[in-house]
Structures are given as C-alpha cells and as structure tokens.
Amino acid sequence: MNFLQPRLETVNVDGELRPYQVHDVARLKAELMQTAARVMYVAPTGAGKTTVAKAVTKDAVAEGKRGLILVHRRELLGQMNKRLHAGGIDAGIIAAGFPARPGERVQIASVQTLDARAMRSRQMTLPPADLVVVDEAHHATADSWRRIIAAYPDAALLGLSATPCRKSGTGLGDVFKVLVLAPQIPQLIADKYLVGTKVYGPPAGIDLSGVHTRGGDYVESELAARVDRPEHVGDAAAEWFKHNPNRLRTIVFATNIAHMVHLRDAFRAQGVLAEGIDGSTPVEERDRILSDLEKGIVEVVVNVGVLTEGFDCPAVGCIVLARPTKSFGLYRQMVGRGLRPAHDKAHCIICDHVGATTMHGFAEEDVAWTLDTKTRAESKAKAAARALLLPREMANCPDCSALHWKGRPCQACGWRPQPKAKPVEVIDADLEEMRRDGSRVKHETDPITFYRQLLWIARERGYSPGWAWHKVNEKFGRRVSTPRNCVPVEPAPEVRSWVKSRTIAWAKSQRPRPEGPPT
C-alpha cells in the first residue's frame, strides 16, 4: 500500500530532530512505502528511537493514516504517550486502568492487555492501523507479539530496538525484512551524543563452569547460587568506592531478589544511600526510588530485570555488573543505561565483577547487526579477530588499571603495549580499568607523593605519621624510604578511595565469616 507519500526533505518535527534523525526518518518513510513493509530501526540506547518513531507517526497521521504502537511495560507506555502528546498527537491508551479512547487516530497498547482483550478473549476488536510500531522489538518473536502483528498483514510494520536479536544473539528475520541502522555507538560518542566507558574488572570473571543454559542464558537459580556469595557481594561496595570516588549515581544489576537485597544491604552498611527494586516492587515505590535517584537523593539502585529497558536517567554515571549473562543483547542494554551524556560526565564507569566485558566486548565497539536467524550478533572487532584466529584476551592497563584487549592500546588512557614488556601482576584481585586492547590500567603516583597525601589524611583523623608510613608500604608492597619532615599535601580522590577500600577490607576481615549468603 502507499503508506507515506515521498517528500524531497523531511521536516524537523518540533525542531527537536538531530541531523542524523532527519536522515533516518526519510530513510524509514521510504522503506515503509513498500508493500507489506517489515522494517527494523536499530538505534543505540540514547540515540532517540522514540523521537524518530514520533516523527514517522506524526507524518502518518497528517496523511490521514492510523497508527498502533505496541509496548510491553507500563513505563514505556507512559513515556511514549508523553512524547506523542508533546508533539501534538493525542493518543488512546489500551491498558489496564486507562479509559478507552477509540476515536483517537493513534492507539498506544500494552501487548499483554491487547492480546488478552482482542486476541484471546475477544472482549474488544483490534483498533484499525495502517502503521504498527513495535517498541523494544527484540521481544517481537514472543507468541503474544506475533499474534498481534499477524492480525495486521496490510499494515506497515516498524520495529524499534537498540539490540535487534534474541537472547541467543541470532537475528529477527522471521519477523522483520529490512534493517535501517542509525549511527552506532562509536559515531554517537564522537559526535558527543553519548559518552564512552571506563571499565574495571577481572579479565576472567567468576567461574561459571557447571551452570546450565536455558533459553539462551544462564539458569537463574544456578547462577544466583554461584554469584550471591559474601566474597562477591562485599566486594561490590568496596570496589565502588575505589573506582567511583565522586560517587556518581549508580545502577547495579543483580541476579535475583535475594541477591539484590544482599547487594543493597552491603552498600547501606558502608553508608551509601542505596535502594533495591524488582518486578514485584509497587509502581508508586518504584517511581519514588527512581525519582530520588534522578534527584541525587539516592546514590545506588540495585535492580533485578527492571532497568534494562525504557529507563532514561542521564545522571547515572556508574554501572555495576553483578549479574553474568550469555545474552549479548541484555549486556548491551545494561551498559547502555549509563551512556547518556550529562554535565561533568566525561565517561561512564563500569564495574564489571562477572567478566561480561570479556565475553561480549566493550560498549563502544561497533556491532555487526543482522536479521539472519542463524547468525549471532557480535562486535565487528570480535568477528575480525575470530576470522584471523586471533586470541581475544583482556588484561589490566599498567597505567590506569582499566580493562583492555591484550596487545592493543588502552582506549581509556592511550597507553600502548611495548615490545617485550613485562607482564602486569594483579594484586588482591582488585578491579582494574579495562582497556580496549586487552590490557589493564593501574592509576598510581610515586610513593613519596602518595605518602605525603596519606600524611594529610593522618592529620585529619588524628593518626600518627607512622600510620601513613605503614599504609604506603602496604600500597606499594615494599618498604618505602620516606624523607624526614615531609610536608602533607591534600589527597586526590583516588587516594581517599584507596584508603576507604582498605578500611572496608579490614573491617570485613574482622567479622566472623557467615556460613551462607549475607542476610
């Protein structure tokens, strides 16, 4: 059908479209004109998929067409309705608790509600639609989504996703036929629409041997038993202090509710304003917690399967990965929560306790997305290395402790590997910054400067200078010769964070070790 009339140029709707979005809207309209169009628009988290969908929908309504927008979460429904209303589009809402407004030319429907009312029980008729927009379209292979999509064989179909793949990583070609790619993360970072990451973590992650896989990801019960242990839970807060000295607002991804509670309590025990949410958290409480996070009243929100999609808070500057996953799409969704730019946010800190970066690559790596149902999505760098039979191992940068791909420069600080360089030893299994070439970064100053900063902290706390001497020896693993009459200097945030992490580690060592997970 002739869905949208071609135009020489696309109007900048409400003056809010970015240059690439103007181009993408024009490309999408051209594809949607085709008979039985089935188009997947792939745009990274933070690239503005909803803005582009609004522009396409507004043009459809202007030409007398009707639209149906499918979402699967209440939060996404509200966001879409708010965005359409701001653009001058009044939409009806098909969801529990909302009055019906069938006369509106655009309907926003909860997939669960529409499937229950119109497909399975016939309590209502399907709303007419010339354009069906599927938000978070990587879910479109589920039965409920398929039933609704199949009921609109003559409508143009537009899918929206940052991660157009199943849990297994394979493509969605059995639902969509054309990929339209927005600029991907590397270009959006270069254009200042997103920020990059600085990743800290062990190269190997947690030993998950013996944990089974079901539906493309680890079995949750087995996974929780492996990761919800005192040594892992307790380290999360200590490493957060060390690598996030400015206490940027943080999202933590946990495996299940018990794991979430233990992680939340570990942060609270160290004086951090932490909250936890999961799928059973009442809507009002969830909204309050997320509002407090945005305002800075809450510093850390630990969640279970809630904040992987549809949550926009640019102020989030740190992501803690405490949940391993085999799903490439889920991993990209998690780290994507921290990539939106904000004032004084140079990058997003990723504390990867589970080796997800080693398995899936860095968020900045371009991805070879595909619709092929037999091909897994992966980073182009990883695909190139596999084609050349090159090992993909990570290490800590010797300069800044970040993770990076071994043998390649550190993207975080620019360090480059030198021929015949000595291997870098990792002490105490601390998280270190992961560089893009596989090396790891260690941020260190010289011993005397470090000692002078410790003297400042000792003076603040009323300690003797001997405390600073013992601490500098602990830091550098050797007896440091310190000159007499050293003048204290104000410590850098990294030094204060190191002292804080050592204090926490000492306190943990003094407590009796529990038999099972913390309560």
Side-chain angles (χ1 to χ4, degrees), residues 18 31 69 136 209 237 339 343 361 369 387 431 463 508:
R18 299 167 180 172
E31 292 292 346
I69 302 175
E136 304 296 351
S209 57
L339 301 187
H343 179 64
W369 296 115
L431 297 189
Y463 299 163
K508 286 168 53 183

Side-chain angles (χ1 to χ4, degrees), residues 70 115 134 141 174 190 231 241-242 269 290 297 300 377 386 388 397 440 491:
L70 302 175
D115 182 55
V134 181
T141 57
D174 49 344
E231 61 268 28
F241 277 108
K242 181 187 300 183
L290 296 181
I297 298 172
V300 173
R386 190 183 67 255
L388 296 173
C397 171
R440 292 173 170 258

Side-chain angles (χ1 to χ4, degrees), residues 244-259:
N244 184 20
N246 294 323
R247 298 175 74 144
L248 300 174
R249 275 161 273 185
T250 299
I251 296 174
V252 183
F253 290 94
T255 300
N256 62 9
I257 294 176
H259 191 207

Side-chain angles (χ1 to χ4, degrees), residues 345-508:
K345 179 178 171 182
H347 52 256
C348 177
I349 298 167
I350 309 291
C351 291
D352 182 358
H353 292 264
V354 295
T357 308
T358 305
M359 177 178 291
H360 300 295
F362 291 93
E364 293 91 330
E365 295 177 352
D366 205 353
V367 179
W369 296 115
T370 178
L371 288 175
D372 189 343
T373 58
K374 296 182 180 179
T375 302
R376 295 176 182 270
E378 63 180 346
S379 74
K380 292 181 179 179
K382 186 174 181 179
R386 190 183 67 255
L388 296 173
L389 301 179
L390 297 176
R392 292 286 283 174
E393 298 180 10
M394 285 194 171
N396 291 106
C397 171
D399 283 353
C400 70
S401 300
L403 283 179
H404 68 134
W405 292 117
K406 186 175 291 186
R408 297 181 59 190
C410 174
Q411 187 168 324
C413 75
W415 174 89
R416 290 180 175 275
Q418 299 297 320
K420 299 181 181 179
K422 295 181 179 180
V424 178
E425 294 185 0
V426 180
I427 300 173
D428 292 335
D430 290 343
L431 297 189
E432 297 178 334
E433 189 176 345
M434 303 167 70
R435 287 181 170 171
R436 278 31 178 196
D437 65 351
S439 67
R440 292 173 170 258
V441 186
K442 245 182 180 174
H443 287 294
E444 287 190 356
T445 186
D446 66 276
I448 302 305
T449 301
F450 198 86
Y451 173 66
R452 293 175 66 193
Q453 295 179 70
L454 290 174
L455 285 173
W456 183 289
I457 296 174
R459 186 175 62 186
E460 284 182 337
R461 299 184 177 186
Y463 299 163
S464 71
W467 174 86
W469 186 77
H470 285 292
K471 284 297 178 185
V472 76
N473 291 342
E474 177 184 345
K475 168 66 176 174
F476 291 93
R478 59 183 173 83
R479 186 184 180 91
V480 176
S481 178
T482 55
R484 293 179 179 273
N485 301 320
C486 265
V487 177
V489 295
E490 186 170 359
E494 293 81 4
V495 177
R496 290 191 181 277
S497 295
W498 181 85
V499 172
K500 177 75 172 179
S501 70
R502 294 302 90 196
T503 302
I504 294 172
W506 179 85
K508 286 168 53 183

